């Protein structure tokens, strides 16, 4: 396994396999549903090589990996014994209604995103070839490409029946059967002959007076192709019906009788009640959104452009996904997500300016792949790795995206398909009638967002956060022909036996994934400050302390292995997070004997968490050490 070590470290630091309710992934992040988020070592995960950051939002514990998340997900799933896209198990955790909604939507739509984007890109390519006159609608090539581009979205209820069933812990084939019944060709043919019943504003709201009967009950036939709301609600209700029949039907005949009775109940119910009601609700929602949008497309564009990246950070963008898809099914276009088109390009322009301005080697190494992935619409590496931690670049990217969104709104840009991201999304804005002002608005919005983001950052007083090179010593260094560099000494925070990190049983430390350093087997239960600086992190459990020195060295002291499970018992901090500390100052005391009796080892890694910022971290050669003796030398 390529990411076996990283996968093991992730599983360990989210609280172990037993703490995981479910696991899915999207384009850049692993999305855990944990039983108890307090058991996760968030700071450890954030500082781990191979992890961009950790986000807790929408009831999910999201570990941001980057573009290679599918490979990491595969290894985590295999090692943890999780089912791919596993459903939630019962939990006593109280989750807000909004968080449940976000979690449900992301769980239903996330598995489809890759293929949905792929077919959308094919549909966009076909539209582009038509607009350029390189393809004729009468050609067989067009028919095949068009079918390939339409296939998933047209039969979307079947695919969502599968993902919804998995999310609601139901039989996935029952979910698919419900979806298939909604788009059954005979019903579609009959529906096509119908006429509107009522109209609202200028669009059709209650479609099709055509109906058939089921046991004498009228069934209003509607077109459910490309819809999202009816199948999700129907599958949810179907999961409850299935659970009922599982309880009352004997196990010997349950395999076929549960699906038999479930489908007999839910499909007519979906066609008679759920489908029409949810379709009308969706049509009303689409009409309402269009009404609000028409009041001021420019303001809508500015707001969506400015806040889209904020929505992404907190996972709130998932709340807009079903709205956009509903718009495509009802209105045949979507004006909402169109306004966000420039956001990824604004972010990319800002990072490109940072790339050209910085002299920090690590920052440059982060910026290059962030720019490349940003062009293709994946901005999490840029957001979490570069702009958000520095605040000002992130704000400037939001400003640039707001301007681009305003232009897109003013030009009347609309999306006609769910296509790719970044530059691959551009064909999605070609109208069925060809390239119009909306399409050119999309292109202009992209260019303005990108250029403005670049200029704002490049000329916006960029302050490099590089670790400055030490000045050469012009006497001794010149005499010996050597380049002397600055060093910072980290004194020992504990007293005891010195060990190599490789001897630590926790792989996150022993492999050096969290940074270079050394370990100490303590002989006395107290920890002192190894540097002058600020206490930047103090775990609530008291077992780990993070200090940033006055010169920027980030020191992590982790007392024992798995001692987080003690939840603070036997640890007695003497300082609080945010305190300024001096070398030798007492930070914490701990009861060694009580911790050992509880079954925990006390081997304590002391590492430089931002090792990559320095030329080297040199460990002491002593076999035992006293407080305040030199432990590590950080070469700047």
């Amino acid at each position: 396994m390529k990411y076996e070590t990283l996968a093991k470290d992730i599983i360990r630091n989210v609280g172990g396999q037993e703490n995981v309710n479910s696991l899915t992934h999207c384009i850049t992040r692993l999305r855990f549903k944990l039983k108890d988020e307090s058991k996760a070592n968030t700071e450890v995960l954030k500082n781990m090589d191979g992890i961009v950051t950790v986000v807790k939002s929408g009831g999910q514990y999201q570990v941001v990996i980057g573009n290679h998340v599918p490979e990491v997900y595969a290894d985590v799933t295999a090692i943890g014994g999780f089912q791919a896209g596993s459903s939630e198990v019962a939990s006593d955790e109280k989750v807000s209604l909004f968080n449940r909604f976000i979690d449900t939507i992301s769980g239903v739509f996330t598995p489809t995103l890759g293929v949905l984007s792929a077919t959308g890109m094919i549909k966009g390519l076909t539209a582009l070839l038509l607009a350029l006159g390189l393809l004729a609608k009468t050609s067989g090539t067009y028919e095949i490409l068009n079918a390939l581009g339409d296939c998933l979205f047209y039969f979307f209820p079947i695919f969502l029946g599968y993902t919804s069933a998995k999310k609601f812990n139901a039989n996935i084939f029952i979910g698919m059967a419900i979806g298939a019944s909604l788009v059954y060709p005979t019903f579609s043919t009959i529906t096509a002959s119908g006429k509107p019943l009522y109209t609202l504003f200028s669009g059709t709201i209650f479609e099709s007076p055509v109906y058939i009967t089921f046991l004498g009950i009228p069934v209003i036939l509607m077109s459910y192709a490309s819809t999202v709301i009816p199948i999700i609600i129907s599958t949810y209700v179907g999961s409850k019906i299935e659970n009922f029949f599982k309880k009352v039907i004997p196990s010997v005949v349950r395999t076929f009788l549960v699906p038999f009775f479930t489908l007999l109940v839910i499909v007519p119910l979906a066609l008679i009640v759920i489908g029409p009601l949810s379709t009308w609700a969706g049509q009303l929602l689409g009409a309402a959104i269009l009404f609000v949008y028409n009041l001021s497309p420019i303001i809508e564009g500015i707001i969506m452009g400015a806040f889209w990246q904020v929505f992404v950070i907190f996972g709130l963008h998932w709340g807009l996904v079903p709205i956009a898809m509903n718009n495509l099914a009802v209105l045949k276009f979507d004006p909402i997500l169109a306004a966000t088109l420039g956001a990824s390009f604004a972010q990319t322009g800002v990072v490109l300016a940072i790339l050209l301005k910085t002299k920090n080697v690590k920052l440059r190494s982060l910026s290059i792949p962030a720019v490349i992935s940003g062009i293709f619409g994946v901005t999490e590496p840029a957001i979490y790795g570069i702009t958000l931690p520095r605040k000002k670049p992130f704000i400037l990217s939001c400003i640039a995206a707001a301007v681009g969104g305003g232009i897109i709104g003013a030009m009347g840009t609309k999306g006609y398909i769910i296509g790719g991201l970044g530059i691959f999304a551009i064909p999605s804005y070609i109208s069925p009638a060809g390239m119009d002002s909306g399409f050119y608005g999309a292109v202009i919005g992209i260019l303005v967002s990108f250029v403005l983001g670049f200029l704002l950052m490049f000329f916006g007083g960029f302050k490099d956060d590089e670790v400055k090179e030490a000045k050469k010593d012009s006497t001794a260094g010149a005499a010996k022909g050597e380049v002397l560099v600055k060093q910072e000494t980290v004194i020992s925070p504990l007293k005891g036996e010195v060990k190599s990190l490789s001897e630590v049983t926790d792989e996150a430390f022993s492999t050096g994934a969290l940074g270079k350093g050394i370990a100490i087997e303590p002989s006395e239960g107290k920890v002192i400050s190894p540097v002058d600086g600020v206490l930047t992190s103090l775990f609530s459990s008291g077992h780990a302390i993070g200090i940033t020195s006055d010169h920027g060295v980030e020191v992590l002291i982790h007392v024992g292995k798995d001692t987080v499970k003690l939840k603070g018992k036997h640890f007695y901090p003497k300082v609080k997070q945010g305190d300024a500390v001096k070398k030798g100052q007492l930070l914490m005391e701990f009861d060694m004997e009580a911790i050992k009796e509880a079954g925990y080892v006390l081997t304590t890694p002391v590492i430089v968490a931002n090792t990559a910022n320095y030329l080297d971290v040199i460990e002491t050669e002593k076999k035992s050490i006293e407080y305040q003796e030199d432990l590590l030398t950080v070469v700047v």
Side-chain angles (χ1 to χ4, degrees), residues 253-474:
V253 291
R254 191 175 293 161
T255 301
F256 55 89
L257 283 188
V258 168
F260 172 77
F261 285 111
T262 301
L263 289 172
L264 272 182
V265 174
I266 185 57
V267 172
L269 187 62
L271 292 172
I272 296 169
V273 180
I274 299 174
L277 289 179
S278 56
T279 298
W280 290 334
Q283 290 169 344
L284 284 169
L285 177 63
I289 288 172
L290 187 59
F291 176 76
V292 174
Y293 169 78
N294 286 334
L295 291 177
S296 181
I298 298 176
I299 293 177
E300 184 268 346
I302 291 173
I303 293 173
M304 290 298 298
F307 290 101
W308 178 249
Q309 295 170 94
V310 179
F311 294 159
V312 171
I313 289 172
F314 293 103
L316 302 180
H317 61 301
W318 282 111
L320 296 171
V321 169
I323 294 175
M325 291 186 172
N326 179 72
N327 287 341
L328 289 175
V330 174
L331 305 173
K332 308 308 178 188
F333 60 81
D334 172 56
I336 304 301
L337 295 187
T340 70
L341 182 59
S344 64
F345 293 95
Q347 188 76 227
T348 305
V350 166
V351 176
L352 179 60
I354 293 175
L355 173 62
L356 297 179
K357 296 276 284 189
T358 186
K359 294 182 176 61
N360 184 324
V361 175
K362 182 180 180 182
L363 184 54
R364 286 180 62 84
S365 68
L366 288 173
S367 299
I368 293 172
V371 168
I372 295 172
S373 62
I375 291 172
F376 299 107
V378 180
T379 54
E380 277 89 345
I383 293 174
Y384 295 118
I386 301 171
T387 63
L388 190 60
R390 293 163 178 83
K391 296 182 178 65
K392 183 178 179 180
F394 182 78
I395 293 171
L396 293 179
S397 73
C398 291
I399 293 172
V403 175
I407 292 172
I408 288 171
M411 298 289 284
T413 302
K414 299 178 181 67
Y416 297 93
I417 53 175
I418 295 291
L421 301 174
I423 58 173
F424 291 128
I426 295 175
S428 303
Y429 299 91
I430 300 176
S431 165
M435 295 181 183
D436 56 10
S437 61
F439 172 78
Y440 296 116
V443 175
I444 294 171
I446 286 173
L447 293 175
V448 169
S449 298
F450 179 82
V451 173
L452 185 58
F454 177 85
L455 294 177
L456 288 174
M457 190 71 254
F458 196 86
F459 297 106
F462 171 74
K463 293 182 180 180
D464 204 351
D465 57 355
E466 66 171 325
V467 179
K468 303 293 184 182
E469 283 190 65
K471 294 181 180 179
K472 297 179 183 179
D473 188 307
S474 58

Side-chain angles (χ1 to χ4, degrees), residues 93 190 220 338 374 385 390 414 429 615 635:
E93 179 188 8
I190 298 173
I220 299 175
R390 293 163 178 83
K414 299 178 181 67
Y429 299 91
L615 295 178
V635 183

